[in-house]
Amino acid sequence: MHQDIERVLISEAQILAGIERLAEQVTGLYEGSEFTVVSVLKGSCIFASDLIRSIPIPLELAFVAARSYGDRTEAGELVIDLVPAGNEIEGKRMLLVDDILDTGQTMQRLKTELLERGATDVKTCVFLDKPARRALEFEADLTAFEVEDLFVVGYGLDFAGRYRNLPYVGVLKPEVFEER
Ligand code: IMP
Ligand code: MG
């Protein structure tokens, strides 16, 4: 797997520092109030599990799953596969957590969905932000790292289902794209 990576963009040490920074911000936002971290599957599972373990205040955990048609590097139409039960959303303050904010479609759709289902407040937190790709007006409330307009893998992010288990964020060698 490592041999498919052309270069490392964000190292493990940099990721840890970024998570600590973000965890302090989340703690400041929600100190003294109840909230639920909503992890967007599959991409944010690693980020969310590291993040919540650095947050020293009580929280609940929930999951949503969304996928966009267009399996490869281009986003397609968004399908929501999983949402928490009604009583896990109604009246709750929620922090929606995803791996990357790209066109903005996923986060905007999911935020709207949670608000429509009765969440009182939905904030958004992303591991990576790729502002160059934004197709609609949407900004995350909290971001760990901004990245340039490159397709990246690792730390939860996949290419065709693979590379989520890389402990760093990297760029694939061009021939890996061409092979698949
Ligand atoms: P958006 O809906 O266009 O903002 O895209 C968000 C989703 O696209 C993310 O949750 C990722 O699953 C996927 N995605 C966007 N950019 C990348 C990338 O560089 N690498 C891997 N997945 C990506
Ligand atoms: Mg993906």
Side-chain angles (χ1 to χ4, degrees):
M1 196 173 51
H2 297 280
Q3 71 277 6
D4 292 350
I5 301 299
E6 185 172 75
R7 70 189 163 100
V8 174
L9 220 58
I10 311 172
S11 70
E12 284 188 74
Q14 288 173 309
I15 291 174
L16 285 180
I19 299 278
E20 289 307 318
R21 236 186 299 124
L22 215 50
E24 278 177 29
Q25 293 173 0
V26 174
T27 304
L29 270 178
Y30 293 103
E31 192 125 48
S33 73
E34 312 230 330
F35 75 112
T36 302
V37 170
V38 185
S39 161
V40 183
L41 297 174
K42 300 170 187 171
S44 82
C45 72
I46 293 170
F47 171 49
S49 61
D50 279 348
L51 180 67
I52 61 172
R53 284 179 295 169
S54 292
I55 299 173
I57 56 173
L59 59 83
E60 287 189 38
L61 182 60
F63 297 95
V64 291
R67 82 197 127 93
S68 74
Y69 274 121
D71 172 47
R72 298 169 66 86
T73 59
E74 288 302 316
E77 198 191 329
L78 193 83
V79 180
I80 299 175
D81 290 320
L82 172 77
V83 285
N87 66 350
E88 284 194 89
I89 304 177
E90 283 156 30
K92 307 276 188 183
R93 297 187 72 191
M94 312 196 101
L95 179 67
L96 191 54
V97 172
D98 204 1
D99 54 358
I100 189 166
L101 186 61
D102 191 41
T103 66
Q105 183 185 211
T106 306
M107 285 305 247
Q108 188 178 66
R109 264 289 300 284
L110 290 174
K111 181 175 176 174
T112 304
E113 190 74 29
L114 293 173
L115 287 168
E116 282 175 2
R117 289 170 184 254
T120 51
D121 172 60
V122 178
K123 290 195 167 49
T124 53
C125 170
V126 293
F127 174 57
L128 302 179
D129 183 10
K130 219 195 266 182
R133 291 259 309 164
R134 204 79 83 249
L136 35 90
E137 256 181 63
F138 189 93
E139 295 308 325
D141 296 298
L142 302 167
T143 301
F145 299 97
E146 200 169 286
V147 287
E148 42 185 315
D149 189 6
L150 290 168
F151 192 82
V152 297
V153 296
Y155 201 68
L157 292 131
D158 73 302
F159 171 60
R162 292 191 186 169
Y163 305 102
R164 295 193 199 275
N165 54 325
L166 281 176
Y168 51 80
V169 174
V171 182
L172 286 172
K173 291 177 180 166
E175 58 262 35
V176 180
F177 286 114
E178 286 148 23
E179 276 164 20
R180 294 188 67 92

